[in-house]
Amino acid sequence: MKTFSYVNATNEKEAVAALSPSTRDGHGDALAAARSGHQPSKVPIAGGMDLLGLMKDYIVSPDRVVSIKGLDQTIASGDGGLRIGAAVKIADLAEHAAARKMYPALVTAAEGVGTPQIRNMGTVGGNIMQRPRCWYFRNEEFNCLKKGGSRCFAVDGENQFHAIFGDGPCHIVHPSSLAVPVIAYGGRFRVAGPNGAREIDAGEFFQMPNANLYGENVLQPNEIVTHVILPAPGQRSASYEVRFKQSHDWPLAAASVNLVMSGSTVKSARIVMGAVAPIPWRVQAAERMLAGKTITEGVATDVANAAVAGARPMTGNQYKIQIARTAVKRAVLAAGRA
Amino acid sequence: MARKKIDESRRDFLKTVGVVASASASLTIAPEARARQALATLGPGEVPVTLTINGRRHQLNVEPRVTLLDAMRTRLEITGQKRVCDRGACGACTVIIEGRTYYSCSMLAIEAQGKNIRTVDGLANGSTLHPVQQAFCDNDGLMCGFCTPGFVMATVALLEKNPNPTPEQAKRALDGNLCRCGTNIGVLKAALAVKGGARG
């Protein structure tokens, strides 16, 4: 990996200052660079699981790395929900008693992330900010669309793990397992930047390639996610992942379901699919179908069919439609039993 | 070329130190600007790093980009943990930090300071193997040996947290490590053989 200087930020202000363009960088710097396909010259590091891999493969080669692992690492209760520090380790989230009780869909997803070592090192914020796993993006030899090149190699190439929704022009699937249940729970991200802090609805945080080709979300290079804020959950919720390997893998398709109940009837639902599109893929048509229903096998099947109705697979990933359908159906049934 | 780079960074470092002194002397400076200036920028050349490995303190100079694994293996001759994939995918570099397993290939040495790092090198007592090491020998838990130090550390971490794991718990705790020779069954037998036994 390329050499870089290292700054250990002990609070948000320091982190934002250290990530901001300095006068020596000249005008434009990070913002302009990020919009032109060049990676920012200053990047934050928390667990480092994703970033160090990117740097070793020369996908990202910053001049400065700013440690933000010292920022808030606590999980606090508030407003009927939880406020999770972005620097909380995934293992700590998975073991947190209140999180386990309140947000089973999130905890299931956290338990499925990577391996024990990755969960011990990786942070909640890092999982949300994780870069795509697309093998063309991760390979230095392929100057793909996302890296400022002129084509997406997945279109005519090996695309068995790529998107079945979204229609490109970049066909990644979003790699975050935690973002899927966070959106299902109606969570928000607290973001710190040069103008202070703001909160962004998790459902509006992620961006499709036609809105932001070189990044996956609305965050500017000198902004950091500091907290995940979850409102009170619905009475029932669950996640279901289908994977190629039981460990050390990203799901082929996943689904998180959060249900507000009125007795045994669903009052309102949120259904979000993961690993099927460049962003966590919320399916409101399927959500509406659940309202007013009691969950049965037949209802879950109909909802799952509706969830994948708009899928447009590539040459080698048609099979993912059935897998996504199964993930939704099983997540709905699991939430119904919860 | 490399020489020049290091010299430049030393100059940067000296400049940074100067800025810290002047920032603390000036009270009129804006808070954000002061925060930016007061932050110590380390590197990109070598910086002093202190690592505590197997209870011993080691002082060395490494660039910020050097991983804990490379610092141990190439600077400190602590070669128990192996460098295989170098991407946090195989587990051969697994160390124990504060009771938990970490991939030392995916952690910067500069960020491992102030932590108690344990490697396979520190397990045996003289010529007496640690019970987990002995169990690996007794249960055919290794062939070529490259994955073994990582598996041993993951097993030690598991048993220190949960002395009597079920086979399911042991499988799950060890699933961040790969063995391409296929000794996984032996490894699992070894992990369960020390069940409830004296350790360490």
Side-chain angles (χ1 to χ4, degrees), chain B residues 15-38:
Chain B
K15 265 192 276 181
T16 313
V17 172
V19 166
V20 172
S22 64
S24 57
S26 165
L27 294 171
T28 53
I29 197 159
E32 288 79 13
R34 190 166 56 193
R36 189 183 303 179
Q37 290 183 356

Side-chain angles (χ1 to χ4, degrees), chain B residues 13-150:
Chain B
F13 178 68
L14 291 175
K15 265 192 276 181
T16 313
V17 172
V19 166
V20 172
S22 64
S24 57
S26 165
L27 294 171
T28 53
I29 197 159
E32 288 79 13
R34 190 166 56 193
R36 189 183 303 179
Q37 290 183 356
L39 277 175
T41 304
L42 303 170
E46 293 190 344
V47 293
V49 166
T50 305
L51 297 174
T52 307
I53 302 170
N54 299 323
R56 253 193 76 194
R57 276 163 63 89
H58 301 266
Q59 291 189 316
L60 62 162
N61 293 315
V62 293
E63 294 177 351
R65 65 173 162 170
V66 174
T67 62
L68 171 60
L69 178 66
D70 286 346
M72 292 195 301
R73 290 184 57 83
T74 65
R75 304 300 180 92
L76 300 174
E77 305 281 315
I78 299 172
T79 55
Q81 300 327 118
K82 304 298 181 234
R83 190 188 207 249
V84 179
C85 76
D86 201 31
R87 293 292 184 283
C90 74
C93 66
T94 300
V95 297
I96 300 177
I97 297 177
E98 289 150 9
R100 284 181 162 181
T101 51
Y102 278 64
Y103 292 135
S104 60
C105 76
S106 296
M107 179 179 203
L108 298 174
I110 195 173
E111 299 204 309
Q113 298 185 93
K115 298 176 192 300
N116 182 21
I117 302 154
R118 293 164 62 201
T119 73
V120 74
D121 310 82
L123 288 185
N125 184 1
S127 58
T128 309
L129 292 178
H130 183 281
V132 170
Q133 291 173 308
Q134 190 60 52
F136 269 65
C137 297
D138 297 343
N139 292 278
D140 267 345
L142 66 152
M143 280 180 74
C144 86
F146 259 91
C147 72
T148 311

